[in-house]
Amino acid sequence: MDLPPGTGDIAISVAQLVPPAELLVVTTPQQAAAEVAERAGTIALQTHQQIAGVVENMSWLPCPHCGERVDVFGSGGGQAVADGLSRSVGAPVPLLGQVPLDTRLREGSDSGRPLVLDDPSAPASQVLKHVADQLGHRARGLVGRSLGLTPAGR
């Protein structure tokens, strides 16, 4: 489930309803965003969930003229979150990937056509495929498990 950032009632309620779920913490490079993401990740300690890892979104922009990396929003937020959560949980929490800015990623999301299919060689596609590969090899999952949830009104 894609939840809003932070540690509000929604995140805590969902964590309590789906305790066997694992968290994938998503942040951006900015320090303020990293601090919020780390606090959100600590919900896992309270709800006895595991943290699958951290993904840093909007990590960098390839310069359209020279191709060099431009750290538009700074750098290091994802690693800071992974390091902080590792200390909190007492086990390694990996930084799974740093997804660069790419307008085609947003456009593909809006149109329902993933960038990983339209341009598999794009830097954002390569990072997302790497993250998916790492998550696909995890032993735990919710596939085929009853979550004990029913739709409202039933």
Side-chain angles (χ1 to χ4, degrees), residues 21-149:
E22 294 180 84
L23 298 179
L24 178 63
V25 178
V26 180
T27 189
T28 56
Q30 302 99 309
Q31 181 180 352
E35 290 171 0
V36 170
E38 188 174 339
R39 281 196 310 271
T42 59
I43 290 174
L45 294 173
Q46 299 167 7
T47 58
H48 309 291
Q49 293 174 307
Q50 291 184 351
I51 301 172
V54 176
V55 174
E56 184 182 89
N57 199 14
M58 302 190 299
S59 294
W60 52 279
L61 174 72
C63 175
H65 306 291
C66 67
E68 290 288 319
R69 241 177 108 136
V70 179
D71 293 329
V72 178
F73 299 109
S75 63
Q79 189 62 60
V81 171
D83 292 345
L85 290 173
S86 294
R87 284 189 300 276
S88 294
V89 302
V93 174
L95 174 62
L96 299 173
Q98 296 173 296
V99 183
L101 286 163
D102 188 328
T103 56
R104 298 171 302 162
L105 185 60
R106 185 218 19 104
E107 291 165 352
S109 295
D110 290 345
S111 69
R113 184 81 182 149
L115 180 63
V116 295
L117 295 179
D118 280 351
D119 186 357
S121 64
S125 294
Q126 292 177 358
V127 172
L128 290 170
K129 286 189 288 188
H130 178 71
V131 170
D133 286 343
Q134 291 176 86
L135 293 174
H137 291 104
R138 293 188 58 85
R140 283 185 82 209
L142 296 177
V143 175
R145 293 177 69 177
S146 173
L147 300 179
L149 303 174

